[in-house]
Amino acid sequence: MESYFSIDIGGTYIKMGVVNDQGEISQLEKVNTPSTIEALMDVMDHYLKRQINIKGVAVSSPGAVSDHGIVYGSSAVPYLHGPNIKEMLSERFNLPVYVENDANCAAYAELWKGAAKGKKDILVVVIGTGIGGAVIKDGTIHKGANLHGGEFGYMLLNTNITGDDDVWSRVASTRALVKKVAKQKGLSNIQELTGERIFQLADSGDNICIEALEEFYHILAVGIYNLQYIYDPEIILLGGGISERVDLIDAIDEKVDAILAKIDLSTIKPTIKFCHFRQHANLLGSVYGYRKQIEKRIND
């Protein structure tokens, strides 16, 4: 059985673990995200020295990760952007290194051991403070010509465009939901409200929250309908904190049915399911990507 060192770099914490070729995680550790690239490598070095028989390093990173190892764009970990992370880590640890975007890693985890196992063409939509995701074509991540494959949140849903507030991320994210309800309730401090609280209020009969959620589900359904007809995937998986709501897919399905009922040309209904993995998806997915790209193991 082969083992790999996997690290998931987030803006607040990094998670590290040993993942074997069966997708089992051990030696899990979580620490505050270091403030410099040198400190990050020191933390990784300290962890690796306590492991044996590690075959390679698999990294889940924020940002637009190129195949050659440079992380473009911006994120909550600024020092990752600019240097060739893949080369730096390879030289430091004398091991093969794989680096991939965090949403793509989450998608690979679903393909390997999760809700998309056995499928080839899938979309993963991550709904949080914004909307992002991943595109998998023929079992492989599709990054696009400009590393923007899976940036579903940039999608426009109407023709009356005034600015950034018209993109899907700004109208169908949990942040958008909170802003809308806070405005309707006249709350001056938006921090008083959370997405979770809005669901609780709706469950208790709050009409403002009920109506806001109905519109929220509809806008999500419109975007998902578009994605189905743009790409025609076998399945669309939903992730992010909102996926904790077990009734989310039923609510979106209902809105999709209403859309299909109005459009005679539409005959295909998206198959929507939740992502299987939550906490450790990026650790698993980065290792799957490592094995797929570096070891050329396509079917596990």
Side-chain angles (χ1 to χ4, degrees), residues 1-5 17-20 26-27 44-56 95:
M1 190 174 294
E2 295 170 338
S3 296
Y4 308 83
F5 170 53
V18 174
V19 181
N20 67 24
S26 61
Q27 311 296 321
M44 295 173 67
D45 196 20
H46 178 71
Y47 182 95
L48 271 171
K49 283 178 178 176
R50 291 179 281 124
Q51 313 305 325
I52 58 173
N53 298 327
I54 296 296
K55 190 165 186 184
L95 287 169

Side-chain angles (χ1 to χ4, degrees), residues 261-282:
K262 294 177 181 178
I263 305 175
D264 291 338
L265 291 174
S266 301
T267 59
I268 301 169
K269 181 178 178 180
T271 299
I272 311 167
K273 293 187 178 181
F274 289 124
C275 289
H276 175 74
F277 293 107
R278 305 291 172 88
Q279 283 186 308
H280 307 318
N282 296 353

Side-chain angles (χ1 to χ4, degrees), residues 126-132 153 167-180 195 198 212-213 216 219-220 242:
V126 180
I127 306 164
T129 54
I131 296 178
V167 301
W168 200 32
S169 271
R170 299 288 177 87
V171 295
S173 62
T174 53
R175 178 188 291 172
L177 176 65
V178 167
K179 287 177 67 176
K180 179 181 179 65
I198 290 170
L213 283 173
F216 176 70
I219 298 172
L220 283 175
I242 198 172

